[in-house]
Amino acid sequence: MAEPYKIIDSICNGSVKINGSNDNLNSYITSSNSVRRGSGNGGVCLLGLTGLRNLGNTCFMNSAIQCLAHTPEIVDYFLGDYQKEINYENPLGLNGELALAFGDLLRKLWAPGGIPVAPRMFKLKLANFAPQFSGYNQHDSQEFLAFLLDGLHEDLNRVKCKPYLEAKDAEGQPEEEVAEEYWRNHRARNDSIIVDLCQGQYRSMLVCPVCNKVSVTFDPLMYLSLPIPSTTMRTMTVTVLSTDGSTMPAPFTVTVPKYGRFQDLIDALSTKCFLRNHEKLLVAEIYRSKIFRVLDEPSDLLGLIRDEDKLVAYRLPKDSETPSLVLFMHERKEESCHLGRLSLEWKIFGTPLVGRLSDLTNGSDIRKLFLKLLDPFLMPVGDDSDFSDEAGKIDNGDSIVEDVTSSRVSDNDAVSDSSEAGDEPHLSDDFQFYRLDSIRPTEIKMNEPLSISDFAKPLTIHVQWAEKMIEKYDTCLLSSLMEVCKPQLFTRMPPESVSLYKCLEAFLKEEPLGPEDMWYCPRCKKHWQASKKLDLWRSPDILVIHLKRFSFSRYFKSKLDTYVDFPIDDLDLSNYVCCKNSQLSNRYVLYAISNHYGGMGGGHYTAFVDLGHKRWFEFDDDRVYPVSEDNIKTSAAYVLFYKRVSDVK
């Protein structure tokens, strides 16, 4: 790589502004002992191009600091007399230690000479405020930036005694008045250079799904964390089964975002299979004829599901908390070779079936439920002499289906009410049912009372099939499950790209709250899964945009390398800021980027910074290099720094 670029004398003489500002820069340069090297017009200096030494996995910190240390108003402030605003009494701060450490670090970065700085003292002070940054583990630059801005704000808060302000019910008042009151209340407790520059306001709207009660609040924002919507799609096939025996299993193929979440799959599948309002889907992965796992976390990533996996979705009523669920697993006798000897052993086969029962039941109810679930799998009767001609007259009527079932699986097979407990017929000629509620399976007798109210999870029943039953039901249909996606010939896909505006629209999109974030409706007096809508209301002077490249779930974590096409010279938020009364411009220019290269297991952070007049530099720890503006837009862009500009008249 080339040697670090050196700014010529014009910067040292103050004739060039850093990021458009040099109010305190000139006076600081003048007071410095050695501004130049050499003499005359050939002298050079390293002003503003000082790197930061890596103390051990501290590239995340160095990247964020360089972006913040090249924010023009921040430079002006900390090169001036900022100590007079330090709040030594704030219990939420660090008695000014963090602000003093950052101010000292920033002055070293702007001192002539360009010798790389080792930010040890600053890191020590930060760890006192945020202990997670102690030690030398790799961290997230955006998380670090959030803690740093918060810590600087508390150390520099001009409010020495925060007043108690009670939120008032603003229902019925104009939104402009309500938003302004929220902002005044916020500024009455929070007043610092960080709030002046970096904080804006957004509107949060919650709507009750039952009574349509609307709750609106106006909250401060320090930065925007934008999701990266996927433009690459993926087809997934899921087999849908009924839980009342009304329909045959049917595969449905849906298209979902490749980097989407389980909720995207549920939404697409619900539409494709015409899910009714009173129904919900229970999606599970089937492996070796068992439910391997239930996909019950909407926020989990679809990347958890491989193309060769097999998924089923059981249609359940939404009120299925009351009836208990019964999970039926099938077994049949198969030949097995052990020590050179062939023997018949019970082996699991087919797809598990799910049904519902009331709290109190007996063995015969379990049997009837299972036969009902098997109705769609009955083989055509034809001329089979064992069954009456009426058995061929199958339609969707419950009575006909019930007659067919009873005629095909006779109730010698069922137990007479007059049977004594000790004389129960052994139903070995069709199905036997076993409950796995202990170390050894327990056979379920037909007249045996069976309480399942104590089962928080579905009651698992193993059903042993007699050979003649395997012939009477379409077990091939019962066993055939399509894979999520059939393998296809490899085709090179173009790199995924999305505009920054699309990310912003995804952030502002209305969506339901998660089950863990239920909202208490003041009108219903109950917690509901309300829908939430965010809108920008007041934009800050310094707009920090965090691109959510990292995704985490219970089982999986990944990084999106999607190329985000972000504006450099003209980010226009006019169509996205709701408050139209402000005289401030909603247009921004880019001046810094925090980049992350690599994946989840490691990686490296750098920064791109514009020192004014389209002169971009890359800060890679203690190395600083010039970079063309044409090369700053990459798929590594992670945190973007914009500053407000005046509208051009």
Side-chain angles (χ1 to χ4, degrees):
M1 303 180 92
E3 286 298 318
Y5 188 86
K6 299 179 180 181
I7 298 182
I8 59 175
D9 271 305
S10 58
I11 293 183
C12 297
N13 292 330
S15 61
V16 176
K17 300 179 181 180
I18 176 65
N19 283 327
S21 175
N22 68 351
D23 295 345
N24 291 316
L25 185 57
N26 287 332
S27 61
Y28 180 66
I29 293 172
T30 304
S31 64
S32 299
N33 294 327
S34 177
V35 175
R36 313 173 183 228
R37 290 183 182 175
S39 60
N41 293 331
V44 296
C45 67
L46 299 176
L47 195 62
L49 293 179
T50 304
L52 287 165
R53 295 196 182 280
N54 193 319
L55 305 178
N57 286 325
T58 57
C59 57
F60 73 93
M61 181 178 73
N62 294 346
S63 172
I65 287 176
Q66 292 290 7
C67 293
L68 201 58
H70 286 85
T71 301
E73 292 81 1
I74 295 290
V75 174
D76 263 356
Y77 182 81
F78 280 97
L79 293 186
D81 189 16
Y82 72 95
Q83 292 92 338
K84 64 183 179 182
E85 290 196 338
I86 290 180
N87 188 336
Y88 295 100
E89 304 171 9
N90 188 355
L92 300 178
L94 276 176
N95 298 320
E97 292 183 13
L98 182 62
L100 289 170
F102 182 76
D104 180 63
L105 177 60
L106 191 144
R107 286 171 175 255
K108 290 179 180 178
L109 291 177
W110 280 98
I115 300 175
V117 177
R120 290 189 177 87
M121 183 56 65
F122 170 79
K123 183 179 181 300
L124 177 63
K125 298 300 182 183
L126 178 74
N128 292 336
F129 179 73
Q132 64 268 40
F133 296 113
S134 59
Y136 297 95
N137 293 324
Q138 181 68 281
H139 291 279
D140 185 282
S141 69
Q142 186 274 333
E143 181 186 8
F144 163 80
L145 180 68
F147 277 99
L148 175 56
L149 290 175
D150 188 39
L152 291 176
H153 159 66
E154 296 297 352
D155 266 4
L156 298 169
N157 196 347
R158 303 177 186 110
V159 179
K160 299 300 188 290
C161 182
K162 295 185 178 183
Y164 173 76
L165 299 170
E166 186 174 355
K168 300 178 182 178
D169 186 4
E171 188 172 4
Q173 297 184 35
E175 284 190 327
E176 290 77 9
E177 296 180 9
V178 177
E180 191 60 34
E181 182 178 1
Y182 269 89
W183 187 247
R184 285 196 305 268
N185 290 346
H186 175 66
R187 291 305 301 260
R189 296 172 55 85
N190 302 275
D191 184 14
S192 69
I193 182 64
I194 303 301
V195 176
D196 295 342
L197 298 176
C198 302
Q199 287 199 357
Q201 190 179 31
Y202 65 84
R203 177 179 64 188
S204 176
M205 181 183 299
L206 292 170
V207 181
C208 177
V210 177
C211 70
N212 293 322
K213 162 71 176 176
V214 178
S215 174
V216 178
T217 57
F218 294 86
D219 303 305
L221 67 88
M222 184 80 80
Y223 49 84
L224 291 177
S225 284
L226 304 186
I228 303 177
S230 176
T231 59
T232 301
M233 307 304 287
R234 173 188 184 187
T235 59
M236 302 183 70
T237 300
V238 182
T239 302
V240 178
L241 293 87
S242 68
T243 54
D244 58 4
S246 60
T247 58
M248 296 176 62
F252 290 91
T253 300
V254 296
T255 302
V256 293
K258 181 178 179 180
Y259 300 105
R261 306 201 174 251
F262 287 165
Q263 188 61 53
D264 297 317
L265 175 61
I266 295 296
D267 294 341
L269 191 60
S270 300
T271 301
K272 195 68 177 285
C273 73
F274 300 102
L275 195 72
R276 294 183 285 270
N277 291 333
H278 65 276
E279 291 181 312
K280 64 180 181 180
L281 292 176
L282 175 66
V283 182
E285 179 184 344
I286 304 300
Y287 180 69
R288 292 186 177 180
S289 298
K290 298 179 181 179
I291 292 183
F292 178 68
R293 58 175 170 169
V294 175
L295 309 181
D296 57 353
E297 181 53 59
S299 62
D300 279 348
L301 301 173
L302 287 178
L304 285 169
I305 304 173
R306 302 168 299 177
D307 287 346
E308 61 269 23
D309 291 341
K310 297 180 179 180
L311 298 183
V312 297
Y314 300 98
R315 301 179 74 130
L316 293 169
K318 289 183 178 178
D319 61 350
S320 59
E321 290 82 3
T322 302
S324 299
L325 295 181
V326 183
L327 173 65
F328 292 101
M329 298 177 62
H330 317 282
E331 294 183 359
R332 65 182 175 189
K333 283 193 173 182
E334 296 181 3
E335 284 190 350
S336 177
C337 182
H338 182 64
L339 298 178
R341 295 184 179 181
L342 291 177
S343 61
L344 292 176
E345 294 183 1
W346 291 104
K347 300 287 186 180
I348 296 176
F349 76 99
T351 304
L353 299 178
V354 172
R356 297 176 297 118
L357 278 177
S358 58
D359 289 340
L360 295 175
T361 185
N362 56 37
S364 62
D365 291 326
I366 294 289
R367 172 184 170 81
K368 289 177 182 178
L369 174 61
F370 181 68
L371 295 179
K372 184 178 180 181
L373 295 176
L374 285 183
D375 277 345
F377 303 94
L378 283 167
M379 296 286 285
V381 178
D383 296 327
D384 195 327
S385 58
D386 290 342
F387 302 103
S388 66
D389 293 338
E390 294 297 321
K393 301 177 182 178
I394 302 176
D395 65 11
N396 291 328
D398 293 339
S399 60
I400 299 294
V401 171
E402 186 175 348
D403 291 342
V404 172
T405 303
S406 61
S407 65
R408 297 192 180 194
V409 185
S410 65
D411 249 351
N412 92 5
D413 292 346
V415 180
S416 169
D417 292 339
S418 61
S419 298
E420 296 181 4
D423 297 325
E424 265 186 25
H426 193 68
L427 302 176
S428 59
D429 57 344
D430 55 17
F431 302 107
Q432 289 179 269
F433 300 87
Y434 291 86
R435 183 174 63 188
L436 298 181
D437 57 354
S438 59
I439 298 178
R440 300 183 61 183
T442 303
E443 184 176 359
I444 298 175
K445 306 297 183 180
M446 291 302 98
N447 284 340
E448 178 183 273
L450 182 66
S451 173
I452 59 176
S453 58
D454 296 333
F455 289 86
K457 298 180 179 179
L459 174 63
T460 301
I461 303 292
H462 281 235
V463 184
Q464 294 183 351
W465 287 56
E467 190 64 31
K468 71 173 186 176
M469 291 296 105
I470 293 178
E471 297 174 358
K472 296 183 188 304
Y473 289 92
D474 190 346
T475 54
C476 291
L477 178 62
L478 186 63
S479 301
S480 299
L481 282 180
M482 296 184 65
E483 294 182 350
V484 166
C485 184
K486 288 188 175 297
Q488 297 179 349
L489 293 176
F490 174 79
T491 56
R492 182 176 295 276
M493 300 295 293
E496 190 174 12
S497 175
V498 64
S499 74
L500 183 65
Y501 291 109
K502 290 295 183 183
C503 298
L504 184 59
E505 290 165 6
F507 172 76
L508 300 176
K509 180 182 177 181
E510 181 178 355
E511 59 183 5
L513 295 174
E516 68 282 356
D517 295 321
M518 303 286 276
W519 174 63
Y520 181 79
C521 175
R523 183 180 296 169
C524 296
K525 307 298 183 184
K526 290 184 179 180
H527 286 88
W528 299 111
Q529 196 170 349
S531 60
K532 184 176 184 179
K533 175 75 168 67
L534 293 177
D535 292 292
L536 294 179
W537 187 265
R538 183 193 309 265
S539 60
D541 290 339
I542 301 299
L543 177 64
V544 180
I545 296 180
H546 163 227
L547 301 176
K548 298 173 70 172
R549 294 195 177 277
F550 299 101
S551 298
F552 302 90
S553 70
R554 293 178 298 173
Y555 312 103
F556 198 69
K557 57 183 180 180
S558 67
K559 180 195 174 186
L560 294 177
D561 288 318
T562 305
Y563 175 81
V564 177
D565 187 9
F566 49 86
I568 296 177
D569 297 318
D570 187 16
L571 173 64
D572 190 355
L573 300 183
S574 301
N575 294 330
Y576 301 96
V577 177
C578 293
C579 182
K580 305 302 181 183
N581 295 337
S582 175
Q583 300 301 314
L584 296 175
S585 164
N586 289 313
R587 299 168 57 137
Y588 293 83
V589 295
L590 184 75
Y591 70 90
I593 307 171
S594 175
N595 303 298
H596 180 270
Y597 300 92
M600 292 295 301
H604 183 60
Y605 286 93
T606 69
F608 291 142
V609 172
D610 178 15
L611 270 74
H613 300 278
K614 300 295 181 181
R615 291 173 305 182
W616 287 86
F617 294 85
E618 180 179 10
F619 289 77
D620 185 358
D621 288 331
D622 57 350
R623 295 169 295 180
V624 183
Y625 304 97
V627 60
S628 169
E629 185 179 80
D630 296 335
N631 297 326
I632 66 171
K633 294 170 69 169
T634 71
S635 59
Y638 184 46
V639 185
L640 309 174
F641 292 75
Y642 285 90
K643 59 182 178 181
R644 192 196 305 274
V645 294
S646 300
D647 285 321
V648 179
K649 301 298 183 182

